[in-house]
């Protein structure tokens, strides 16, 4: 006798997908809850160390003994090294408010917090980067990169006309999305690179380019074709921004900003709004990336433009850090050194 095979319910696939989604969500909530408990535990241990050191005056030897005893008591747990206990103390010292730990710090992984303690001494900057890391879901690598590249000095610094071309609060969010300058030193190009060379390199390094642009940018394409009354036009780079809910047209100029650049980009934005933008998308934004710009010239140029545009510089070769600059010899010192070498050579020849 053949066994009858029960037919699957018609909605089985949808039901299975729903269960999978709930399992994933539950695992994420469990991981976040476990992380929050761990961060609170580390803060409490760090607070205790601070209080006892202050009251009893003991030093690092007690921390080393505590680390050894905790590892023996909990061999299955990592994180009880003497070095990590010192991080806990620094954590509690940097953020003594338990409410802050509960509301923000507990939502970040431990090594994010260690990075903030290591890389930033200014409490206000630590708080700023902590809030942004949580809001945008930065990895530890992204957090370190943004700190090293001094994101706080560049974010929201582009010249824009968003205040008069976009409604609030969308205009503020769009303005904060752009930077000035953008750092493209990862391309390995010199300052004399042409526009097409830069464009090609940015596409080859699209992951690094998206990291530099910031959260929310999705790459659509390069040399994006538009046709207007039989004429072809090509956009350098086209993106969609998932938080701003709009297309972003990026034009590269391997020269100083000129007012006519804004006019050309204004045309592209109008074409994208007519031909590409969906009815529920917000107005398309333009970003002009120029080798250099004069801020007042850019402000004047954008004041007469209908579409929302930002102007920013890019750097292919990052400026030398200050300590290195001051340690390099001057031209006069090099000439003096060369003169001394030539004199020694002449004396050697006479002998």
């Amino acid at each position: 006798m053949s066994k009858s095979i029960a037919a699957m319910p018609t909605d089985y696939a949808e039901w299975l997908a729903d269960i999978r989604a709930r399992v994933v969500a539950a695992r994420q909530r469990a991981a976040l809850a476990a992380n929050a408990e761990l961060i609170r535990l580390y803060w409490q241990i760090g607070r205790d160390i601070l209080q006892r050191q202050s009251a009893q005056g003991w030093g690092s030897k007690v921390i080393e003994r505590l680390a050894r005893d905790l590892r023996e008591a909990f061999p299955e747990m990592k994180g009880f090294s003497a070095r990590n206990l010192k991080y806990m103390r620094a954590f509690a010292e940097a953020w003594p408010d338990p409410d802050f730990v509960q509301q923000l710090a507990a939502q970040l992984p431990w090594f994010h917090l260690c990075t903030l303690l290591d890389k930033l001494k200014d409490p206000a900057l630590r708080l700023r980067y902590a809030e942004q890391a949580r809001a945008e879901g930065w990895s530890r690598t992204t957090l370190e990169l943004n700190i090293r590249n001094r994101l706080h000095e560049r974010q929201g610094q582009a010249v824009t006309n968003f205040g008069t071309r976009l409604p609030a609060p969308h205009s503020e969010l769009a303005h904060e999305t752009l930077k000035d300058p953008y750092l493209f030193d990862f391309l390995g190009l010199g300052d004399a690179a042409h526009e097409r060379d830069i464009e090609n390199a940015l596409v080859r390094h699209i992951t690094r380019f998206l990291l530099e642009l910031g959260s929310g940018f999705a790459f659509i394409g390069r040399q994006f074709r538009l046709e207007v009354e039989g004429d072809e036009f090509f956009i350098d780079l086209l993106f969609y921004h998932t938080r701003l809910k709009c297309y972003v047209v990026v034009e590269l100029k391997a020269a100083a900003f000129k007012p006519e650049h804004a006019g050309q980009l204004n045309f592209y934005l109008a074409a994208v709004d007519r031909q590409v933008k969906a009815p529920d998308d917000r107005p398309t934004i333009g970003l002009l990336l120029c080798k250099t710009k004069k801020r007042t010239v850019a402000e004047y140029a954008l004041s007469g433009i209908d579409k929302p545009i930002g102007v920013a510089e890019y750097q292919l070769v990052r400026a030398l850090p200050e300590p290195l600059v001051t340690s390099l010899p001057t031209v006069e010192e090099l000439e003096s050194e060369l003169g001394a070498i030539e004199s020694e050579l002449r004396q050697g020849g006479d002998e």
Side-chain angles (χ1 to χ4, degrees):
M1 293 177 62
S2 61
K3 295 182 179 180
S4 60
I5 301 175
M8 288 291 102
T10 56
D11 63 344
Y12 178 79
E14 291 81 1
W15 180 47
L16 177 61
D18 178 62
I19 291 176
R20 284 176 172 171
R22 279 184 276 167
V23 170
V24 170
R27 290 176 65 180
Q28 289 176 340
R29 288 194 298 271
L32 290 172
N35 177 75
E37 285 298 324
L38 184 67
I39 297 302
R40 283 193 286 268
L41 171 64
Y42 283 177
W43 182 83
Q44 290 165 359
I45 293 173
R47 179 196 56 190
D48 289 351
I49 292 172
L50 277 175
Q51 291 175 347
R52 289 174 178 271
Q53 282 186 324
S54 176
Q56 301 173 14
W58 47 262
S60 59
K61 287 186 178 180
V62 178
I63 291 180
E64 291 171 2
R65 172 65 183 272
L66 178 62
R68 185 167 61 252
D69 289 342
L70 286 174
R71 286 199 300 269
E72 289 178 0
F74 306 101
E76 76 286 357
M77 290 184 66
K78 296 181 179 179
F80 288 136
S81 66
R83 183 170 183 266
N84 214 38
L85 289 176
K86 291 175 182 177
Y87 269 119
M88 295 177 202
R89 180 183 61 189
F91 175 41
E93 187 175 28
W95 289 298
D97 184 358
D99 290 338
F100 168 83
V101 176
Q102 176 73 23
Q103 295 167 12
L104 177 59
Q107 299 181 47
L108 290 171
W110 173 241
F111 288 113
H112 281 55
L113 297 170
C114 292
T115 297
L116 292 169
L117 292 170
D118 274 341
K119 306 295 184 182
L120 297 168
K121 304 307 177 187
D122 185 335
L125 277 183
R126 279 182 185 154
L127 178 60
R128 175 172 176 168
Y129 278 98
E131 289 175 336
Q132 201 160 354
R134 178 192 61 175
E136 301 188 13
W138 288 348
S139 67
R140 185 185 179 188
T141 300
T142 302
L143 173 61
E144 290 178 340
L145 184 66
N146 285 330
I147 293 173
R148 185 169 69 250
N149 289 343
R150 305 187 70 79
L151 175 65
H152 62 281
E153 293 180 353
R154 301 183 294 123
Q155 198 164 33
Q157 296 303 307
V159 177
T160 76
N161 60 358
F162 294 166
T164 57
R165 298 297 182 266
L166 294 172
H170 184 57
S171 58
E172 290 86 351
L173 178 59
H175 185 76
E176 283 300 308
T177 299
L178 302 189
K179 307 170 185 174
D180 187 26
Y182 285 84
L183 304 179
F184 296 156
D185 53 333
F186 57 86
L187 299 180
L189 299 175
D191 277 335
H194 298 294
E195 290 168 16
R196 189 55 58 89
D197 296 329
I198 300 170
E199 180 186 323
N200 290 338
L202 288 173
V203 174
R204 286 198 305 271
H205 297 81
I206 191 63
T207 301
R208 288 292 303 273
F209 185 26
L210 288 171
L211 280 174
E212 177 60 13
L213 287 175
S215 301
F217 281 89
F219 181 55
I220 303 299
R222 57 170 295 199
Q223 292 299 303
F224 188 87
R225 180 181 175 275
L226 297 169
E227 182 177 337
V228 181
E229 290 196 4
D231 292 334
E232 288 185 324
F233 302 90
F234 295 90
I235 293 171
D236 287 345
L237 299 162
L238 182 64
F239 296 85
Y240 189 86
H241 199 283
T242 56
R243 293 179 63 198
L244 297 176
K245 305 296 183 186
C246 69
Y247 285 96
V248 181
V249 175
V250 176
E251 283 291 297
L252 290 164
K253 301 297 178 184
F257 170 79
K258 295 180 180 178
E260 52 263 35
H261 296 158
Q264 179 191 32
L265 183 52
N266 190 66
F267 169 79
Y268 289 158
L269 298 181
V272 171
D273 279 343
R274 294 279 188 90
Q275 300 182 14
V276 183
K277 183 177 82 71
D280 56 343
D281 287 332
R282 287 176 171 151
T284 305
I285 289 172
L287 172 59
L288 268 169
L289 292 175
C290 303
K291 192 171 183 180
T292 61
K293 73 175 186 310
K294 293 181 178 178
R295 194 171 189 90
T296 304
V297 173
E299 290 172 351
Y300 285 2
L302 296 187
S303 65
I305 294 294
D306 293 333
K307 299 294 184 181
I309 291 176
V311 179
E313 296 179 359
Y314 63 84
Q315 292 180 3
L316 293 175
V317 180
R318 193 188 306 221
L320 291 172
E322 186 62 27
L324 183 56
V325 171
T326 56
S327 68
L328 292 176
T330 64
V331 174
E332 291 77 10
E333 289 170 339
L334 286 172
E335 289 177 345
S336 176
E337 184 68 21
L338 287 172
I341 293 172
E342 289 175 355
S343 177
E344 290 177 3
L345 290 174
R346 285 196 299 270
Q347 291 175 3
D350 293 340
E351 294 175 356

